[in-house]
Amino acid sequence: MKVVFRNSCPTRVWVAYMYYNPDYCPDGGWGRRGWYPIDPGGEEWVLSTTNKYACFYAEGEDGRYWTGEYGPVQVTDEAFDDCADVVVWTGGHEGYWEVGMRLITLPENRGEQSATYRINLIP
């Protein structure tokens, strides 16, 4: 299933996400990626998965943010693509700051390659 973010805000937003990926991240199984810039009215396909869960954090250019209770997850201002177990819940890594992520629960048809799940970031 494709996971797509839509920016319904009047300013640019950036998205980071965490996803289950035991083939790439055997110690904890969770990978994390960021940042995906999305202009107002735009969409960004960030992930394809057959897993039931993923998590995300988003931050708007105007200071608004979308956070949740999963974490803390450490992120950096620079782009990243690595295993979350390297920095999640361990603290003390220079250049990282902590965020809470929102849970994404994907529908049962997530194994269908043509299926798309949209997350609408609204003000």
Side-chain angles (χ1 to χ4, degrees), residues 65-82:
Y65 57 92
W66 294 259
T67 187
E69 61 188 35
Y70 291 87
V73 177
Q74 293 181 356
V75 297
T76 179
D77 288 337
E78 302 299 321
F80 54 89
D81 180 3
D82 56 22

Side-chain angles (χ1 to χ4, degrees), residues 34-54:
W35 294 98
Y36 291 86
I38 309 171
D39 289 327
E43 291 188 344
E44 184 71 30
W45 170 18
V46 301
L47 172 67
S48 289
T49 187
T50 58
N51 292 306
K52 185 174 182 175
Y53 301 109

Side-chain angles (χ1 to χ4, degrees), residues 89-106:
W89 302 293
T90 59
H93 287 80
E94 187 175 330
Y96 287 89
W97 44 282
E98 294 180 339
V99 300
M101 291 199 168
R102 287 189 184 185
L103 183 66
I104 302 168
T105 304
L106 297 169

Side-chain angles (χ1 to χ4, degrees), residues 5-16 35-44 57-66 77 121-123:
F5 285 87
R6 176 165 179 72
N7 179 5
S8 294
C9 297
T11 62
R12 178 179 276 190
V13 298
W14 288 268
V15 174
W35 294 98
Y36 291 86
I38 309 171
D39 289 327
E43 291 188 344
E44 184 71 30
Y57 170 84
E59 197 168 284
E61 190 173 64
D62 60 358
R64 77 181 76 226
Y65 57 92
W66 294 259
D77 288 337
L121 301 172
I122 56 175

